[in-house]
């Protein structure tokens, strides 16, 4: 079974973000593998393993030929990667990104399953899995917290507000997985060394025939205003000397909660 | 200026239209002179009565026929748009809402605006507001892709206010050919038993994080305190990912947004992803060992201390309080 995993390389979430003059996210520093995507990579490796054959291919879009996040996923065990790196892609929105991913999947051919996170940590749009599925003409099993593949079908437990639904579709399909669906492995030293020589196919938006559908032009959005959000003022802070609970009781009394 | 027609994708929980849907209907009335609903599920008549009270005049009813409702609804809406010409279609930032929005945006080739927290009109254009970088920067944007504008809004962004209208007219859309999108069939549904108020609706929310130390401490510290205060209990992403509590309890960017009268954060450091989901609470109390934890930056009352000492004492004091 061949699985394509969409992985995003994002600025380190621990570093405060900033915007460029054109309102795109500054991506000057090193990019890292979005932690949300590590679950999809692990899930894909386990599914291919269980199927007894096939491979895991990564698809990513990133500026400046950035591959550090991809290498992390390759070191976990993915076989190869496709990287769309093109200045023309700057400012690409969710729909444009979905078009790029779908074209990459079509270009790879012979794919049984596309796995994604439910949303990225930096953009958190959450529509890309469904958009990729619609472009490919495939079913999408979204927000899955448990995935099984058998008899040419994917069966998942899909999160709902009240619990979960068991949902099934035949392959090929797109499946998005929640964080925590599996425990991602740490790359071994052998894996890290092997990852350095794994193939990364670098393509441009034009190679995919999407020259005019990506970037700011393709996004067809206009940022009308950017301003700091009104900051919430911190109130009083006390070191607990054994009576800290009394401060909380007094606060709750004042609010008439107790 | 107002728009002539705004559509809302309605969702239900049990036999009730969700509060997030009612919030969107209230906002839709302010933006457009006609408000109509698209609904994919059972019992459209009951839905028509409820959404009518919030100003909707029509319910376009789609039968998902056992498939995931969002996917089928997205395709159905794409088919209805050219005939009915809505200026905007509003979705809740929910599971089914995003499924529907995704399919619809591809069919219409119109970009999506997601995680919205405000909506307004700039001339004839729908202007959409969201927050980035953990809610520290507000960004407004509008579409240049023509109509309809496709927008998903986080729950609790607007207040829901009934307009007192009568039941909406149900319009049956009939069979929808959603192609392979309709192959995602719902085989079984499992509902986790829920006691007490819902996270998004509770006046008091008590949440726990890594600082609890271990999964078994969640119940005696967080659940117990929440129940005592007749509130709901929640969690940070860290302990959801660690498998201590179910995802349904997660508060934050990738979980639920809450806006209670009082939010009590126990052993939660306050990563930006968590702050997005709770910082609009009226009052915030934080209990955490690390005096430098970012949660203290938003807390009205901060107790720098060990949750295992402060919380049991607090529980006893509230019990004694009667």
């Amino acid at each position: 079974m061949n699985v394509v995993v969409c992985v995003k390389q994002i600025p380190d979430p621990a570093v405060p973000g900033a915007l460029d003059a054109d309102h795109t996210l500054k991506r000057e520093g090193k990019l890292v593998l979005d932690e949300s995507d590590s679950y999809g990579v692990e899930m894909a490796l386990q599914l291919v393993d269980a199927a007894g054959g096939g491979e895991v291919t990564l698809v990513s879009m990133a500026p400046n030929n950035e591959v550090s996040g991809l290498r992390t996923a390759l070191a976990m065990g993915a076989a190869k990667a496709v990287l769309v790196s093109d200045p023309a892609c700057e400012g690409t929105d969710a729909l444009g990104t979905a078009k790029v991913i779908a074209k990459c999947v079509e270009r790879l051919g012979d794919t049984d399953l596309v796995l994604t996170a439910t949303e990225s940590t930096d953009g958190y749009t959450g529509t890309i899995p469904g958009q990729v599925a619609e472009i490919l003409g495939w079913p999408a099993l979204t927000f899955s917290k448990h995935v099984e593949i058998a008899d040419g079908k994917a069966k998942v437990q899909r999160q709902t507000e009240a619990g979960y639904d068991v949902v099934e579709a035949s392959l090929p399909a797109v499946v998005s997985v929640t964080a925590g669906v599996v425990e991602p492995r740490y790359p071994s030293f052998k894996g890290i060394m092997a990852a350095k020589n794994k193939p990364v196919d670098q393509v441009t938006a034009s190679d995919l025939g999407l020259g005019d559908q990506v970037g700011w032009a393709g996004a067809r959005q206009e940022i009308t205003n950017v301003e700091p959000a009104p900051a919430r003022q911190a109130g009083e802070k006390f070191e607990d000397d054994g009576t800290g609970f009394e401060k909380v009781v007094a606060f709750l009394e004042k609010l008439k909660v107790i | 200026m107002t728009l002539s027609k705004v559509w809302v994708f309605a969702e239900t929980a049990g036999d009730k239209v969700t509060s997030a849907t009612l919030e969107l209907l209230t906002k839709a009335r302010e933006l457009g002179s006609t408000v109509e609903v698209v609904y994919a599920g059972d019992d459209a008549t009951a839905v028509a009565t409820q959404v009518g009270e919030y100003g909707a005049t029509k319910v376009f009813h789609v039968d998902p026929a056992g498939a995931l409702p969002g996917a089928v609804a997205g395709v159905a809406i794409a088919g209805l748009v050219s005939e009915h010409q809505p200026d905007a279609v509003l979705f809740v930032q929910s599971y089914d809402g995003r499924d529907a929005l995704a399919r619809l945006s591809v069919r219409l080739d119109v970009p999506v605006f997601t995680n919205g927290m405000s909506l307004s009109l700039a001339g004839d254009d729908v202007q959409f507001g969201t927050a980035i970088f953990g809610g520290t920067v507000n960004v407004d944007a509008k579409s240049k892709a023509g109509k309809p504008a496709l927008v998903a809004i986080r729950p609790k962004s607007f207040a829901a206010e009934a307009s007192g209208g009568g039941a909406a007219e149900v319009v049956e859309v009939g069979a929808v050919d959603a192609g392979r999108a309709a192959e995602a069939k719902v085989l079984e549904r499992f509902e986790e038993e829920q006691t007490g108020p819902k996270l998004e609706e509770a006046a008091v929310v008590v949440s726990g994080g890594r600082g609890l130390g271990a999964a078994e401490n969640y119940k005696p510290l967080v659940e117990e305190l929440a129940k005592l205060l007749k509130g709901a209990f929640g969690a940070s992403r860290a302990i959801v990912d660690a498998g201590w509590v179910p995802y349904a309890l997660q508060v934050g960017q990738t979980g639920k947004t809450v806006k209670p009268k009082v939010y009590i954060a126990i052993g939660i450091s306050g990563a930006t992803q968590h702050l997005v989901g709770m910082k609009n609470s009226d009052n915030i109390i934080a209990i955490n060992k690390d005096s430098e934890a970012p949660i203290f930056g938003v807390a009205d009352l901060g107790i720098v201390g060990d949750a295992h000492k402060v919380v049991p004492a607090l529980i006893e004091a509230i019990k004694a309080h009667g």
Side-chain angles (χ1 to χ4, degrees):
Chain A
M1 186 173 63
N2 293 320
V3 183
V4 169
V5 186
C6 302
V7 296
K8 192 167 185 184
Q9 304 175 90
I10 61 169
D12 188 340
V15 177
L19 294 177
D20 274 325
D22 63 358
H23 304 314
T24 50
L25 187 60
K26 267 193 201 295
R27 292 170 183 271
E28 288 161 347
K30 190 182 162 193
L31 301 180
V32 297
L33 176 66
D34 189 334
E35 192 199 340
S36 306
D37 293 329
S38 61
Y39 299 97
V41 174
E42 177 64 41
M43 188 85 242
L45 292 168
Q46 289 185 15
L47 291 174
V48 166
D49 208 28
E55 60 183 18
V56 175
T57 304
L58 310 169
V59 168
S60 188
M61 185 164 79
N64 306 325
N65 305 316
E66 177 67 38
V67 291
S68 48
L70 281 180
R71 293 288 174 209
T72 304
L74 290 168
M76 288 171 72
K80 62 183 195 290
V82 178
L83 173 66
V84 184
S85 191
D86 186 340
C89 289
E90 198 170 307
T92 302
D93 69 347
L95 182 56
T97 304
K99 290 176 183 175
V100 167
I101 292 167
K103 282 286 180 196
C104 287
V105 173
E106 283 172 356
R107 187 179 153 103
L108 283 162
D110 194 22
T111 297
D112 301 296
L113 185 66
V114 172
L115 270 179
T116 73
T118 54
E119 56 202 346
S120 68
T121 301
D122 60 346
Y124 64 103
T125 308
T127 56
I128 289 179
Q131 289 171 322
V132 169
E134 180 62 24
I135 297 167
L136 292 171
W138 293 2
L141 303 174
T142 47
F143 309 101
S144 309
K145 62 172 189 167
H146 181 83
V147 183
E148 286 169 40
I149 306 286
D151 306 325
K153 287 182 173 172
K155 190 174 176 183
V156 310
Q157 292 178 4
R158 178 180 185 267
Q159 297 278 4
T160 63
E161 293 297 333
Y164 67 91
D165 290 348
V166 176
V167 190
E168 187 180 71
S170 43
L171 301 179
V174 175
V175 171
S176 75
V177 296
T178 61
V181 64
V182 281
E183 188 62 37
R185 69 192 69 183
Y186 286 105
S188 63
F189 178 70
K190 200 176 145 201
I192 293 167
M193 296 311 288
K196 293 183 196 235
N197 297 316
K198 288 182 175 174
V200 176
D201 179 19
Q202 303 216 1
V203 300
T204 64
S206 307
D207 294 338
L208 298 171
L210 291 172
D212 56 345
Q213 294 184 60
V214 295
W216 280 110
R220 293 167 292 157
Q221 295 174 1
E222 186 184 334
I223 305 285
T224 50
N225 191 34
V226 176
E227 62 183 21
R232 194 184 173 102
Q233 296 298 313
E236 290 185 294
K237 189 164 83 173
F238 300 96
E239 286 285 338
D240 179 41
D241 57 0
T243 63
F245 73 93
E246 290 174 2
K247 307 263 194 228
V248 180
V249 169
F251 193 81
L252 293 174
E253 276 177 338
K254 195 178 79 184
L255 296 173
K256 298 190 166 52
V257 169
I258 56 172
Chain B
M1 294 292 287
T2 51
L3 302 173
S4 65
K5 193 183 284 178
V6 179
W7 278 5
V8 172
F9 176 63
E11 295 182 52
T12 52
D15 54 0
K16 281 208 155 151
V17 173
T18 63
S19 51
T21 302
L22 303 179
E23 292 160 20
L24 290 189
L25 288 168
T26 307
K27 189 68 185 180
R29 289 204 311 264
E30 182 192 314
L31 297 176
S33 40
T34 302
V35 176
E36 294 171 349
V37 156
V38 180
Y39 169 64
D42 302 331
D43 204 358
T45 314
V47 169
T49 307
Q50 295 173 61
V51 299
E53 281 173 36
Y54 285 78
T57 51
K58 263 184 199 164
V59 173
F60 291 96
H61 179 225
V62 178
D63 180 4
L68 278 180
V72 179
V75 173
I77 297 170
L80 294 168
V81 158
S82 60
E83 186 187 341
H84 299 279
Q85 305 275 324
D87 298 295
V89 188
L90 313 185
F91 297 83
V92 177
Q93 181 86 13
S94 61
Y95 305 118
D96 290 342
R98 282 179 284 181
D99 276 359
L101 179 59
R103 297 276 173 184
L104 177 60
S105 72
V106 170
R107 294 251 167 169
L108 300 181
D109 195 25
V110 169
V112 296
F113 291 91
T114 56
N115 276 299
M117 292 158 71
S118 70
L119 272 177
S120 57
L121 291 179
D124 278 347
D125 293 316
V126 175
Q127 184 168 264
F128 151 96
T130 187
I132 58 171
F133 303 143
T136 55
V137 176
N138 288 337
V139 177
D140 290 332
K142 62 181 191 178
S143 171
K144 295 189 289 182
K147 287 174 177 174
L150 305 182
V151 177
I153 300 286
R154 292 180 73 92
K156 297 285 161 196
S157 297
F158 313 120
E161 284 165 30
S163 64
E169 175 198 355
V170 176
V171 179
E172 292 295 340
V173 173
V176 176
D177 179 8
R180 291 203 62 217
E183 280 184 25
K185 294 284 182 197
V186 181
L187 305 182
E188 287 174 274
R189 320 205 89 152
F190 292 89
E191 297 204 355
E192 279 154 18
E193 206 176 315
Q194 194 166 9
T195 52
K198 281 183 157 184
L199 254 181
E200 311 92 302
E201 289 160 18
V204 177
V205 172
V206 183
S207 285
R210 272 271 192 228
L212 295 171
E216 56 267 29
N217 295 330
Y218 183 84
K219 201 178 171 78
L221 297 180
V222 179
E223 263 191 64
E224 189 75 8
L225 179 59
K227 283 178 185 163
L228 209 49
L229 297 172
K230 298 185 177 59
F233 38 91
S236 72
R237 177 171 166 175
I239 71 166
V240 172
D241 284 359
W244 293 5
V245 294
Y247 175 80
L249 299 186
Q250 185 175 313
V251 172
Q253 178 176 298
T254 52
K256 298 206 159 82
T257 306
V258 298
K259 211 173 172 181
K261 184 173 176 189
V262 187
Y263 187 84
I264 306 179
I266 301 174
I268 290 178
S269 65
T272 51
Q273 285 91 343
H274 187 75
L275 297 184
V276 171
M278 49 64 77
K279 71 174 189 156
N280 289 325
S281 304
D282 295 345
N283 298 279
I284 297 171
I285 300 172
I287 300 165
N288 200 301
K289 264 200 292 203
D290 174 12
S291 66
E292 300 300 314
I295 192 81
F296 289 122
V298 299
D300 300 284
L301 174 64
I303 304 294
V304 182
D306 185 349
H308 300 92
K309 292 184 180 144
V310 179
V311 179
L314 177 61
I315 287 173
E316 287 313 310
I318 294 171
K319 279 183 182 163
H321 197 278

